[in-house]
């Protein structure tokens, strides 16, 4: 299993994300990216700068690294939020939630299929996978709070049927999981994947959030929707018009 744009040097990722958000005057939200598992999945630590309370987004594994990131940035983690049920994104969400005593929110319940098979996928990929029931399934139109921050939830099926993304409008930041990558899009050859659904999710859910939106993908470099609309060979405006 491999995704395009996988980071060559994961230690650079937190610097990139924080550099963008630090460019805002008194940013309400900060984020650090911690690539985890052999698949180099971008787990994000996001936090409210007013309260220093935060959340892990897609903690697929490597829990010592995640604990170290929270300690480094002096963040009190209050919940775990998930974009979808693939093992590299949520394989160790349950053990981390139990350790921290925090709830799990997301993904959409249509990913129950994937979460139920985390132990099986773990054996196949050599990654720990622990099935779980989230404290809250998410649907289109929901919001998730982190400290004083409010993130909007969008249901974005295609890569998986229950995939969701999170958007913080004041920061012009989206966490898009495996829907969109810098220069590519999510795979749809896994069970329950749908290429037409994925394209529809990108065009109807992501693009309306604004060209100046920066997004953190599930793998690889950050980018902007404007850059992808101009250059992405799969979903650029030119490609979609062809």
């Amino acid at each position: 299993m491999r995704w395009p744009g996988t980071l060559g040097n994961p230690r650079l990722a937190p610097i990139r994300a924080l550099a963008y958000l630090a460019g805002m005057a008194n940013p309400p939200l900060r984020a650090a990216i911690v690539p985890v598992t052999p698949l180099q999945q971008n787990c994000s630590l996001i936090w409210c700068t007013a309260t220093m309370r935060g959340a892990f987004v897609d903690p697929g594994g490597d829990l010592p690294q995640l604990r170290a990131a929270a300690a480094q940035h002096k963040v009190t983690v209050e919940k775990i939020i998930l974009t979808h049920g693939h093992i590299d994104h949520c394989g160790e969400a349950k053990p981390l939630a139990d350790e921290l005593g925090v709830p799990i929110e997301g993904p959409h319940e249509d990913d129950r299929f994937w979460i139920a098979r985390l132990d099986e996928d773990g054996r196949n990929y050599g990654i720990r996978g622990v099935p779980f029931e989230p404290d809250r399934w998410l649907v289109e139109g929901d919001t998730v709070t982190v400290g004083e921050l409010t993130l909007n939830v969008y249901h974005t099926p295609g890569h998986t049927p229950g995939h969701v993304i999170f958007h913080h409008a004041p920061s012009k930041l989206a966490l898009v999981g495996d829907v969109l990558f810098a220069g590519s899009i999510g795979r749809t050859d896994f069970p329950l994947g749908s290429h037409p659904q994925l394209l529809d999710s990108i065009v109807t859910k992501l693009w309306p959030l604004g060209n100046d939106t920066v997004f953190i993908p599930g793998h690889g470099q950050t980018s902007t929707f404007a850059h992808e609309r101009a250059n992405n060979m799969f979903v650029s405006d030119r490609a979609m018009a062809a």
Side-chain angles (χ1 to χ4, degrees), residues 108 138-143 153-157 163-165 204-205:
H108 187 285
L138 297 174
V139 299
E140 178 85 14
D142 277 348
T143 59
V153 176
Y154 297 87
H155 183 206
T156 52
H163 200 298
V164 298
I165 66 121
T204 65
K205 302 294 180 66

Side-chain angles (χ1 to χ4, degrees), residues 218-239:
H219 302 263
Q221 309 280 347
T222 59
S223 183
T224 67
F225 292 158
H227 183 82
E228 300 311 308
R229 293 188 70 167
N231 299 284
N232 191 299
M233 65 181 294
F234 298 98
V235 288
S236 69
D237 292 348
R238 179 179 300 177

Side-chain angles (χ1 to χ4, degrees), residues 26-115:
N26 301 313
L29 179 155
R30 289 190 185 273
I33 303 172
V34 186
V36 297
T37 81
L39 300 175
Q40 291 293 276
Q41 190 278 124
N42 288 337
C43 174
S44 296
L45 171 64
I46 63 171
W47 66 93
C48 166
T49 57
T51 63
M52 295 305 292
R53 300 186 68 83
F56 281 119
V57 185
D58 291 354
D62 295 329
L63 301 192
Q65 290 178 239
L66 301 185
R67 289 192 293 267
Q72 175 187 346
H73 297 292
K74 298 180 174 59
V75 173
T76 299
V77 176
E78 64 179 17
K79 65 181 60 175
I80 290 167
I81 59 178
L82 302 173
T83 64
H84 65 291
H86 282 166
I87 189 166
D88 54 325
H89 290 255
C90 68
E92 291 201 70
K94 173 62 172 173
L96 182 59
D98 288 347
E99 175 186 320
L100 298 176
V102 301
I104 299 174
E105 300 187 9
H108 187 285
E109 193 171 3
D110 284 351
D111 265 14
R112 186 183 286 276
F113 164 85
W114 284 105
I115 294 172

